[in-house]
Amino acid sequence: MPLLLQIRRNTQETLRIYWMLVRITIPIAIVTELLSRVGAIKAVAPTFAPVMNLVGLPAELGLAWLTGMLVGIWGAVPLIFTLVPASSLSVADITVFSALILFAHGLPIEQKIIQKAGPGMIATTLLRILGGLLYAFLLHHVLTATNWLSAPAKPAWIPMGVTPDWAEYFLGLAETMMWMLVILVVLSWSLQILKASGLLDLMMKALSPVLRLAGIRGEAEHLTAVGLFLGISYGAGLLIREAQSGAISPRQIFLSCVFMGFAHSVIEDTLIVIALGADVHGVLTGRIAFAITATAMIATLLHRLSDKTFFSQMFRQQSPQVEAG
């Protein structure tokens, strides 16, 4: 009975998330397609040109980037190949764009959760956006200099593409939403299997030495690992409880949230963008290496901040606690 109950609850939760995505994605996809057909996207694209040029991407993808930041990865996914045909993108392009949305997506929801744990919303939001831009910028220049991943993109799954008429467009949209449900169910149950088998716990323990390099230690290590594998909703959600209990110092909570902002939900999110044609080393290996390095540098800067500055600018707690260690 417990197994059947768990299956039922997991399925219900997956369907609940899917229905929320349907209500968000379909209207955005239809409006975007309409705007594209009347030429509005082409007219607005130059607004995003400076940022997209910085990372070597077509200006049109700026709209998908903005949608991803506001709605989430699943909000951006149906727009990518509608805005820019897959045939005109390279593996490097898909990898760089994927890096952008992996760093900063679903910000209104995820950053609200982080804020409840204590870190200031403005500071951590800016770090995620600027961190993503910096990593995408570095990745773009490395790929350009080495000519690595210059081959045409070959996505295993094209969520949406340019269609000749509205009938085919809506058919393609229906297929996209169906595949989205399949992928969500597979990913959801894959995570459940990892949990039940104990592999997820082993992966988290193996990460402990790596997280120490980023300046994260003690109980914050485990909670950061939870966020890394399962997402900010889980990792930062648990940090909220710890922050209220005072078991973890505010600076460690801040560093944990910064790291999770740079790298979280690495199983689910990585598989999604790989299906779109992104390179695993660019969106996973390099991303984690950047998260460790950047968080370690931020940890060094935090040690130099006075409690007054930290609590007034970076953390909402009013009475500072003495940090252990």
Side-chain angles (χ1 to χ4, degrees):
M1 185 63 181
L3 178 60
L4 292 175
L5 184 61
Q6 184 179 1
I7 292 174
R8 180 182 176 183
R9 286 179 178 176
N10 189 65
T11 302
Q12 288 177 336
E13 177 65 15
T14 301
L15 291 175
R16 185 186 67 79
I17 294 172
Y18 175 70
W19 175 237
M20 179 186 69
L21 291 170
V22 167
R23 288 181 294 169
I24 294 172
T25 301
I26 289 181
I28 290 177
I30 293 173
V31 170
T32 300
E33 178 68 13
L34 179 62
L35 292 174
S36 177
R37 295 187 182 218
V38 300
I41 299 297
K42 186 175 291 186
V44 173
T47 305
F48 297 97
V51 178
M52 293 296 101
N53 287 341
L54 191 67
V55 295
L57 294 174
E60 291 82 359
L61 285 179
L63 182 62
W65 176 53
L66 179 63
T67 302
M69 285 194 291
L70 296 176
V71 177
I73 288 181
W74 284 110
V77 160
L79 306 184
I80 298 172
F81 300 120
T82 297
L83 297 170
V84 181
S87 58
S88 65
L89 296 171
S90 67
V91 178
D93 293 331
I94 295 295
T95 303
V96 171
F97 179 77
S98 296
L100 281 177
I101 60 174
L102 285 173
F103 271 80
H105 57 260
L107 295 178
I109 295 174
E110 292 187 348
Q111 290 305 113
K112 189 65 177 178
I113 295 172
I114 284 178
Q115 184 186 40
K116 287 185 178 296
M121 179 178 283
I122 294 177
T124 52
T125 300
L126 285 176
L127 282 173
R128 285 183 68 177
I129 295 173
L130 295 177
L133 283 171
L134 177 58
Y135 178 68
F137 175 80
L138 295 173
L139 183 61
H140 162 61
H141 282 281
V142 168
L143 296 180
T144 300
T146 60
N147 205 35
W148 184 37
L149 307 182
S150 59
K154 294 182 179 179
W157 174 50
I158 298 181
M160 291 296 296
V162 178
T163 51
D165 56 52
W166 281 107
E168 287 192 37
Y169 172 80
F170 283 114
L171 179 60
L173 181 58
E175 291 177 353
T176 294
M177 301 312 298
M178 183 176 64
W179 277 109
M180 185 183 289
L181 175 59
V182 171
I183 291 172
L184 275 173
V185 171
V186 170
L187 289 174
S188 174
W189 279 106
S190 295
L191 287 174
Q192 291 299 322
I193 292 171
L194 285 173
K195 286 181 186 177
S197 65
L199 288 175
L200 194 61
D201 286 336
L202 290 175
M203 293 163 70
M204 289 180 179
K205 290 179 182 177
L207 271 175
S208 181
V210 176
L211 293 175
R212 289 195 195 104
L213 292 176
I216 299 169
R217 59 185 187 274
E219 182 61 23
E221 293 176 13
H222 174 73
L223 300 181
T224 305
V226 170
L228 179 67
F229 288 114
L230 300 181
I232 284 177
S233 296
Y234 291 97
L238 292 173
L239 275 174
I240 293 172
R241 182 188 62 196
E242 299 302 322
Q244 293 172 346
S245 70
I248 303 178
S249 72
R251 292 176 193 256
Q252 282 293 299
I253 291 172
F254 185 86
L255 287 176
S256 176
C257 288
V258 167
F259 184 91
M260 282 190 284
F262 292 154
H264 60 274
S265 193
V266 294
I267 298 174
E268 178 180 353
D269 292 352
T270 301
L271 288 175
I272 292 170
V273 296
I274 287 176
L276 297 175
D279 176 75
V280 64
H281 296 296
V283 297
L284 181 59
T285 310
R287 180 187 174 199
I288 292 177
F290 178 90
I292 293 168
T293 304
T295 306
M297 294 173 66
I298 292 169
T300 301
L301 293 175
L302 276 186
H303 284 307
R304 298 179 181 178
L305 283 182
S306 66
D307 283 346
K308 181 179 179 181
T309 301
F310 175 71
F311 285 103
S312 64
Q313 303 295 327
M314 317 290 281
F315 205 89
R316 66 182 176 86
Q317 183 171 317
Q318 296 300 318
S319 55
Q321 299 176 18
V322 178
E323 184 167 354

